[in-house]
Amino acid sequence: MLSHETRAMVRLSAIFSLILVALSIVLIAFRIEQVLLEFAQSRGVRAAHQVREQIEGGIRLGLTLSDQTHMAQWLKRQHSQESALAGARVQSESGETIASEGSEAAFDQLNPVWTAQLLRATDPAGKHQAVVNAIARRLGSMAYIGVPVADAAGRPIAVVWLAFDRTALEQSAFSILRVLWPSAAFAVVLLAFSLAAFLACLIAWPSHA
């Protein structure tokens, strides 16, 4: 039979384990949330790159931006594939909107400085290239992702902007979190109680020696 002191130590180890469980669950939930939001953002960057590659493919064939009449269809396809996408547009270096899809109001908070950063080019060794390959910004209820479109010489001549509804984007991430959460929580609880059992055995061992 365990002594009073041993029982107190077992209770203490149980309390310690419960605290460990609570802290671990909070930390795991926070980390999973961050990973999923980063995943959702990277998915948006890939979507913007897909549109850019289609436009640059036309440029390599000798088509100008105004010649590429399928831009609106490409943006519409992206819009239909991504429920969180509130709006999409292709904007020339002169500021003209060449093609757009979705709500124009989604771009009300878009900062012109971001577009200027994407259109900025440097010329090291006589070759033009974009200084910034992509921009991802969160502002208010929107998340903006932009990538530059380059001409045959590599000089940025336009920008593809995608505007995501942050609430819808986060809900999409949380829907995945709800699937992963039970397994992660079970693993933490199992680990904590295994630790508690080990500590209890370790504490009780001297009383049987």
Side-chain angles (χ1 to χ4, degrees), residues 77-129:
R77 185 183 305 120
Q78 290 294 340
H79 196 198
S80 64
Q81 293 174 350
E82 179 55 71
S83 59
L85 185 60
R89 68 163 54 158
V90 178
Q91 186 174 338
S92 70
E93 58 185 335
S94 64
E96 175 190 1
T97 298
I98 304 170
S100 64
E101 173 64 26
S103 172
E104 285 296 319
F107 295 98
D108 286 346
Q109 301 180 80
L110 185 66
N111 194 332
V113 173
W114 303 338
T115 301
Q117 290 174 343
L118 289 169
L119 290 171
R120 189 180 306 147
T122 186
D123 194 14
K127 184 177 180 180
H128 290 286
Q129 63 181 33

Side-chain angles (χ1 to χ4, degrees), residues 51-72:
V51 176
R52 179 183 71 178
E53 288 169 1
Q54 290 171 316
I55 298 173
E56 289 182 345
I59 292 174
R60 287 192 293 271
L61 293 175
L63 300 175
T64 65
L65 293 175
S66 58
D67 290 335
Q68 300 192 45
T69 57
H70 295 296
M71 281 189 202

